[in-house]
Amino acid sequence: MRRRALLLAALVTAFGPPAMARDPGGLLGSITPRLEQPAGGVEVSGRVAPGPGGGELIVVLRPHGAARLLGEPGIRVTPRSAPGVAWTAPVPLEAQLEGGGYFDGPPELRLPFRGRPGSALEAQVEYSYCLVDYQCLFGETMLAVELPPAG
C-alpha cells in the first residue's frame, strides 16, 4: 500500500494533477515512444483482356512503400451484376497463400465473362495488408472498367 502511495505521489509531482485528470493517455505517451506511421498503401487497378469464350477482367493489386499484401485472409473479388454482362466462373474469386505470409509480387486475379461492347464491369475488391513493423489493415475498392465499344 505504501508503494502505491509513493508511486502516486511521484506521478503527481512529475506530471501534476491537472495534466493527469485532463489527459490520462498523455501520461502513457510520455512514457512510451510513439511510432510514426510508415508511408504505404495498395493500388487496385483493372483491365480487360481477351479470354476463352469472351473476355477476362484482370484485377491487379500493387502494394507500395511499406505496404505488403497478406496471403491470409488474402484477396476477394466479388463482381457486380450488370446489364449485358455474364460472369462465367464461380464468384467470388479468392486468392490466398497457404500458411500465410506476404504475396511475393503484385497478384493478378482473372474473372472470365461474356459481355456486350460498351458494357460496364464492376467488382468489389477486398484485401488485407500490413504496413511493415507497424500495423495490419483491411482495404476495399469498388473497381469499374468499361468494355470498349463495338467497332
Side-chain angles (χ1 to χ4, degrees), residues 51-81:
E56 290 182 317
L57 172 61
I58 302 171
V59 179
V60 181
L61 290 89
R62 286 188 180 83
H64 57 86
R68 301 291 177 264
L69 286 163
L70 281 170
E72 199 174 314
I75 302 164
R76 181 183 185 114
V77 179
T78 307
R80 303 285 186 213
S81 60

Side-chain angles (χ1 to χ4, degrees), residues 3 7 11 16 31 35-36 52-53 63 65 67 85 88 90 93-94 99 119 121 130 134 142 149:
R3 291 171 113 179
L7 178 59
L11 289 173
I31 295 171
L35 295 176
E36 193 168 317
V85 176
T88 59
L93 184 61
E94 297 183 351
S119 298
L121 304 175
C130 290
Y134 184 73
M142 179 59 77

Side-chain angles (χ1 to χ4, degrees), residues 21-56:
R22 199 172 48 247
D23 183 19
L27 177 61
L28 289 175
S30 67
I31 295 171
T32 59
R34 290 187 182 228
L35 295 176
E36 193 168 317
Q37 180 174 341
V42 178
E43 176 190 336
V44 178
S45 63
R47 68 182 187 278
V48 174
E56 290 182 317

Side-chain angles (χ1 to χ4, degrees), residues 11 16 18 20 26 33 46 51 54 69 73 78 91 97 110-112 128 135 137 142 144-145:
L11 289 173
M20 288 177 55
L69 286 163
T78 307
V91 291
L97 294 176
R110 295 173 174 263
L111 290 136
S128 53
Q135 181 178 17
L137 305 161
M142 179 59 77
V145 178

